[in-house]
Amino acid sequence: MNCLRVLRISQQSSKNCYIPSQQQYRAFKRLIENESKKIGRKPKQKKGDVVEANFEPSSLEHFQVRFREDVKVPLRKLFKPFAFACVVTGSSFAGAAIWQYEGMRSKAISRALGQFNFFNTEKAGEFRQQIHQWFSGLLGTQKVVLGIVALNVGVFALWRLPFMQMFMVKWFSANPAANAVCIPMVLSTFSHYSLWHLAVNMYVLWTFSHSMERLFGKEQFLAMYMSAGVWSSFSSHLLKVLTSKYNPSLGASGAIMAVLGSTCFQYPDARLAIVFLPFFTFSAGTALKVLIGIESLGVVMRWAFFDHAAHLSGLLFGCYYAGDGYKRLWGNRIKMLEKWHEFREKPGKV
């Protein structure tokens, strides 16, 4: 009896089963074979792939690389990096203007609600209170500079990891012959391979943070810094294409040169000194002229220890911005902020 019941169930289930046709079976088989080939297929190789990097200390801002094949970059390939630099500049100043607007709006709201204390801002522990008191006493630009320093230190730590180095070469060093060209123009501004290079750049940036507060304020300073960094990278690209030397570059020197250039242009009579020679002082105007002369000579003579094209571009950008650029880039933000204000005042916006 049980055997007959099992037989009937098996017959009913066989009638309900779907049996594909021979044509459908062949199509399914071809699909499986194609997917199997894709899994075993190697990724497509490109000329701009870096297969080897030499980090010998022959230069602080360059290092030697070997590409998969010989590369030659025509000038027309620089149009995309040029457009990217324009977009980064516009986005930086637009974002900085919105940041300034939101900060002023937040302060206005805080003043209106000043009599109410909703949150307890007192830090637990004496050490935390001292850190909070010290950080609260910093200028706005100094706080931004501390963030830049922390980011640079973090990127430097990634360079120390052997399994990360080829990734860092691709994304955190600027090279017009590489497959990734645009994004590294920004990321390389926060990238240092040499500890000495990192320490000197961050010290100089911190030294000029106080003057940047007086000149620009934290929002405008950050926009200028980002813009100078990306245009310094583009100038480095241009010289490399013209000379057919495609060694990657990295470092914040171009952006820091813009900080130095804008300060020296605005305060030419200020007295400066070298950290190792504090007794030897000179005017900021003289330092600016000497630096422009040295960097120009380095570009003409093709000195390789520094990226002189990036340095010269940074200095000139800083002078232009302090002289007239801030009127065009920062002074015309009012119309954009009016539209942003209308957007923020719409019902439902907080």
Side-chain angles (χ1 to χ4, degrees):
M1 187 68 180
N2 292 335
C3 293
L4 291 174
R5 186 177 180 182
V6 171
L7 181 61
R8 291 194 190 103
I9 293 174
S10 62
Q11 288 175 349
Q12 290 176 0
S13 61
S14 63
K15 290 179 182 179
N16 296 329
C17 290
Y18 171 73
I19 301 176
S21 64
Q22 189 173 7
Q23 184 177 2
Q24 292 173 328
Y25 173 75
R26 290 175 180 174
F28 179 74
K29 186 178 180 181
R30 284 195 298 269
L31 179 64
I32 294 299
E33 291 176 353
N34 292 334
E35 292 297 326
S36 300
K37 291 179 181 178
K38 288 181 181 180
I39 294 174
R41 188 181 302 167
K42 294 182 179 180
K44 186 178 180 180
Q45 298 176 348
K46 300 180 181 180
K47 288 184 178 181
D49 290 339
V50 175
V51 296
E52 185 180 356
N54 181 13
F55 297 97
E56 293 181 0
S58 57
S59 171
L60 286 178
E61 298 175 338
H62 295 287
F63 54 89
Q64 302 290 331
V65 295
R66 183 170 63 86
F67 295 100
R68 190 172 303 280
E69 299 179 21
D70 292 336
V71 292
K72 179 68 176 179
V73 181
L75 276 173
R76 66 176 183 274
K77 292 292 186 181
L78 291 179
F79 175 77
K80 187 177 179 181
F82 176 81
F84 178 77
C86 292
V87 170
V88 170
T89 301
S91 302
S92 298
F93 280 96
I98 293 173
W99 180 21
Q100 186 184 58
Y101 171 89
E102 293 296 332
M104 295 173 65
R105 187 173 185 270
S106 177
K107 287 180 180 179
I109 295 175
S110 298
R111 290 193 189 100
L113 302 176
Q115 64 271 28
F116 302 103
N117 186 16
F118 296 103
F119 302 100
N120 182 17
T121 58
E122 185 177 354
K123 301 297 180 182
E126 183 179 355
F127 179 73
R128 291 188 62 189
Q129 290 179 6
Q130 292 176 353
I131 294 296
H132 178 70
Q133 185 178 2
W134 169 79
F135 187 79
S136 301
L138 295 176
L139 300 173
T141 304
Q142 291 177 323
K143 294 177 182 179
V144 173
V145 169
L146 279 181
I148 294 174
V149 171
L151 185 58
N152 278 268
V153 171
V155 174
F156 173 78
L158 292 178
W159 277 106
R160 302 298 100 191
L161 303 176
F163 66 90
M164 287 289 293
Q165 285 194 352
M166 296 310 294
F167 174 85
M168 301 298 290
V169 168
K170 180 178 180 179
W171 293 107
F172 285 85
S173 62
N175 189 356
N179 293 325
V181 177
C182 292
I183 300 298
M185 291 172 64
V186 175
L187 297 182
S188 62
T189 307
F190 301 92
S191 178
H192 297 79
Y193 183 79
S194 166
L195 179 60
W196 174 256
H197 190 201
L198 172 69
V200 171
N201 275 350
M202 296 302 100
Y203 173 78
V204 174
L205 181 60
W206 177 260
T207 301
F208 284 90
S209 60
H210 195 275
S211 62
M212 288 293 100
E213 179 72 23
R214 293 200 307 264
L215 275 176
F216 305 126
K218 60 182 180 181
E219 300 90 356
Q220 190 180 177
F221 159 72
L222 183 59
M224 189 272 289
Y225 185 88
M226 295 291 295
S227 301
V230 73
W231 283 111
S232 298
S233 297
F234 176 79
S235 300
S236 177
H237 282 6
L238 178 60
L239 183 63
K240 290 171 185 174
V241 171
L242 292 176
T243 58
S244 298
K245 293 183 178 180
Y246 306 119
N247 293 326
S249 301
L250 71 168
S253 300
I256 294 174
M257 283 292 183
V259 172
L260 179 61
S262 60
T263 304
C264 293
F265 184 89
Q266 195 69 25
Y267 304 110
D269 297 327
R271 305 302 296 180
L272 303 178
I274 302 175
V275 61
F276 301 110
L277 303 171
F279 53 85
F280 178 67
T281 62
F282 45 87
S283 68
T286 301
L288 180 60
K289 295 174 184 176
V290 171
L291 283 173
I292 291 178
I294 292 175
E295 301 303 341
S296 300
L297 187 61
V299 171
V300 174
M301 300 299 293
R302 300 183 185 181
W303 294 340
F305 190 72
F306 293 109
D307 192 341
H308 294 281
H311 288 193
L312 181 61
S313 175
L315 284 170
L316 296 179
F317 184 91
C319 293
Y320 163 75
Y321 189 81
D324 185 65
Y326 75 95
K327 300 176 184 177
R328 302 178 184 275
L329 295 173
W330 188 250
N332 293 326
R333 70 190 188 281
I334 303 300
K335 293 182 180 179
M336 190 269 294
L337 288 180
E338 288 176 352
K339 294 181 180 179
W340 179 256
H341 178 72
E342 293 176 0
F343 170 77
R344 292 291 274 117
E345 294 300 320
K346 287 181 179 180
K349 300 296 180 183
V350 179

